C-alpha cells in the first residue's frame, strides 16, 4: 500500500461514513413521522423509544442499504477525483489500471467483512429489539389476528389446528389433531379446550373425541380429558413477523435443522435469509468495483452523470434481487441460486466494464 493507496482508501472510508450518517438521519426522521401516533398513544418516554426501538432500527436500516451506499460513495469520491484529473495523473505515472483498483479491493473486502459479521450476529440482535418493540406497540392488532385458525405441522405426519388460542393463558379452543399418511387421514382427535401444562410439558385436552381410520374400518371413542405430548411449545404458537431476521446465524441454522426434522414446509424464506447474509457481502465487493470503474473515466457530465448511472444500476440490482427472492419463496427456486443471481449478473457486468475501461 503506497501513499496514493492510503489516500484513496481514506476517501473511500470517509465518504461512506458521511453518506451513511446522512442516510441514517433521514431514515430516522421518516420513521419517526410514521410512528409518532403509536409513540404518543402508548405514552412512551424518549428514553424508551431510543433504547428499546432505535437501537435496533438503526443497525437494521444500515445493513439493509449497506451495499448500495457503498456503491454510491465509491462513485461520488471517484468521480470527484476524475473531475480533478487525479486519476489521469496516477495512470500517467506508470500505474496500471488493475494496480489502481487495489485500494478499492481493500476497502471492499474490509466493508464486506464488517457486513458479514454484522449480518451474522449484530443485526439479528438489533432486529430482536426492533421486532419486540413493534409487536408490543405498533402491530398489536395484527398480532391478535394471528391467534385464530392456526394450523401447525408438528412432524412428518401430524398436523394440529387451534380454532382459537390465547398466549397469555396458554390455552385454546376447537383443537384438532390429524395424522396423515400419503393422501389418507389415519387418525383424528378433537377437543373443545386445550391447555399447556408447564409442569409435565404436555398439552391437556378436555372433552376429547377420537377416530381411528383404517381403510373402510373406523373406530370412535371419547374421553372427558387426556394429555398428549407434542413437539410443539407455546412460544411457537405466536407467529412473529419476519422472525428469521431476528435470529443469529447459528440460531437460524438450528431452527432450519429442527423444522426439517419435523417435516415443515415453506422453509425457503429462512434459507433465503441465511444465504442473503453472505451474498450481500459479495455485493459490496462487486458494486465497489463497478463504481470505481465507471467513475474513473472523466466525462463531460461530471459527477452528476456518474451518480445518475449509479442510481440506475442500484435500482436494477434491487429489482433483480427482489424478483429472484420472490421466485424462490413463491415458486420454489433454489434459495442459494436466488440470492446469488444478482451477484452473478453484476459480476459479469463488472468484468465487462473492466475490459472496456481506458487503461
Amino acid at each position: 500500500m503506497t501513499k496514493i493507496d492510503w489516500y484513496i482508501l481514506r476517501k473511500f472510508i470517509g465518504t461512506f461514513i458521511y453518506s451513511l450518517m446522512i442516510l441514517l438521519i433521514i431514515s430516522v426522521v421518516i420513521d419517526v413521522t410514521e410512528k409518532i401516533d403509536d409513540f404518543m398513544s402508548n405514552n412512551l418516554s424518549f428514553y424508551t423509544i431510543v433504547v428499546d426501538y432505535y437501537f435496533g432500527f438503526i443497525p437494521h436500516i444500515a445493513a439493509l442499504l449497506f451495499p448500495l451506499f457503498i456503491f454510491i460513495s465509491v462513485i461520488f469520491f471517484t468521480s470527484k477525483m476524475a473531475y480533478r484529473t487525479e486519476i489521469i495523473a496516477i495512470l500517467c505515472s506508470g500505474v496500471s489500471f488493475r494496480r489502481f483498483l487495489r485500494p478499492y479491493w481493500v476497502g471492499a473486502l474490509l466493508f464486506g467483512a464488517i457486513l458479514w459479521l454484522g449480518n451474522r450476529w449484530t443485526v439479528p440482535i438489533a432486529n430482536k429489539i426492533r421486532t419486540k418493540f413493534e409487536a408490543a406497540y405498533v402491530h398489536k392488532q395484527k398480532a391478535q389476528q394471528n391467534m385464530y385458525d392456526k394450523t401447525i405441522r408438528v412432524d412428518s405426519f401430524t398436523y394440529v389446528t387451534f380454532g382459537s388460542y390465547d398466549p397469555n393463558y396458554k390455552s385454546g379452543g376447537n383443537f384438532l389433531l390429524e395424522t396423515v399418511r400419503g393422501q389418507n387421514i389415519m387418525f383424528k382427535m378433537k377437543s373443545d379446550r386445550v391447555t399447556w401444562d408447564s409442569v409435565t410439558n404436555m398439552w391437556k385436552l378436555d372433552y376429547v373425541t377420537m377416530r381411528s381410520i383404517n381403510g373402510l374400518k373406523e373406530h370412535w371413542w371419547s374421553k372427558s380429558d387426556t394429555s398428549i405430548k407434542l413437539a410443539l411449545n407455546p412460544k411457537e404458537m405466536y407467529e412473529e413477523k419476519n422472525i428469521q431476521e431476528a435470529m443469529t446465524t447459528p440460531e437460524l441454522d438450528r431452527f432450519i435443522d429442527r423444522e426439517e426434522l419435523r417435516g415443515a414446509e415453506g422453509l425457503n424464506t429462512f434459507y433465503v435469509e441465511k444465504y442473503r447474509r453472505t451474498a450481500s457481502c459479495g455485493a459490496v465487493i462487486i458494486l465497489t468495483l463497478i463504481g470505481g470503474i465507471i467513475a474513473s473515466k472523466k466525462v463531460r457530465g461530471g459527477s452528476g452523470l456518474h451518480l445518475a448511472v449509479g442510481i440506475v444500476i442500484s435500482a436494477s440490482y434491487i429489482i433483480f434481487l427482489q424478483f429472484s427472492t420472490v421466485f424462490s419463496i413463491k415458486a420454489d427456486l433454489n434459495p442459494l441460486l436466488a440470492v446469488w443471481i444478482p451477484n452473478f449478473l453484476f459480476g459479469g457486468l463488472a468484468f465487462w466494464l473492466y475490459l472496456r475501461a481506458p487503461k
Side-chain angles (χ1 to χ4, degrees), residues 21-216:
M21 292 301 295
I22 293 176
L23 162 72
L24 293 179
I25 292 172
I26 294 173
S27 300
V28 168
V29 170
I30 294 174
D31 192 68
V32 168
T33 58
E34 290 180 349
K35 295 185 173 65
I36 187 67
D37 292 337
D38 297 311
F39 296 157
M40 295 181 67
S41 63
N42 289 285
N43 296 319
L44 300 176
S45 65
F46 177 78
Y47 177 84
T48 300
I49 294 171
V50 172
V51 175
D52 292 347
Y53 179 61
Y54 282 105
F55 276 13
F57 174 80
I58 290 175
H60 164 73
I61 199 68
L64 184 66
L65 298 177
F66 197 95
L68 301 183
F69 265 78
I70 284 281
F71 184 46
I72 298 298
S73 301
V74 168
I75 286 182
F76 185 78
F77 86 82
T78 305
S79 180
K80 289 291 185 182
M81 291 177 60
Y83 183 75
R84 294 195 295 261
T85 328
E86 294 179 43
I87 295 177
I88 293 176
I90 292 172
L91 297 178
C92 289
S93 68
V95 176
S96 66
F97 189 74
R98 184 175 65 179
R99 176 63 181 81
F100 164 73
L101 291 176
R102 178 181 293 181
Y104 291 88
W105 277 102
V106 173
L109 291 171
L110 172 64
F111 284 119
I114 292 173
L115 182 60
W116 184 80
L117 292 172
N119 281 341
R120 289 179 66 87
W121 288 286
T122 307
V123 176
I125 292 172
N127 282 331
K128 288 181 182 178
I129 299 173
R130 178 180 61 86
T131 55
K132 181 180 179 181
F133 181 92
E134 290 179 342
Y137 302 111
V138 180
H139 302 308
K140 289 186 290 186
Q141 294 182 353
K142 293 182 180 179
Q144 290 293 329
Q145 293 173 359
N146 288 335
M147 299 175 192
Y148 297 94
D149 296 325
K150 189 176 185 66
T151 301
I152 301 173
R153 184 174 183 176
V154 295
D155 57 42
S156 300
F157 308 104
T158 307
Y159 297 81
V160 296
T161 302
F162 290 79
S164 63
Y165 182 77
D166 188 340
N168 296 318
Y169 295 98
K170 298 179 182 178
S171 63
N174 297 325
F175 175 82
L176 173 65
L177 181 147
E178 295 177 305
T179 301
V180 181
R181 294 184 182 273
Q183 301 295 323
N184 301 317
I185 297 177
M186 308 301 294
F187 178 77
K188 271 191 175 185
M189 176 187 289
K190 292 183 179 181
S191 172
D192 291 344
R193 180 175 176 81
V194 58
T195 307
W196 172 254
D197 188 343
S198 58
V199 177
T200 60
N201 289 331
M202 298 176 70
W203 292 94
K204 183 179 179 182
L205 280 62
D206 298 322
Y207 308 107
V208 185
T209 60
M210 291 169 277
R211 284 174 58 198
S212 176
I213 305 170
N214 184 13
L216 297 177

Side-chain angles (χ1 to χ4, degrees), residues 302-318:
S303 300
L305 179 61
H306 287 150
L307 288 174
V309 174
I311 291 172
V312 171
I313 293 177
S314 300
S316 301
Y317 179 85
I318 294 174

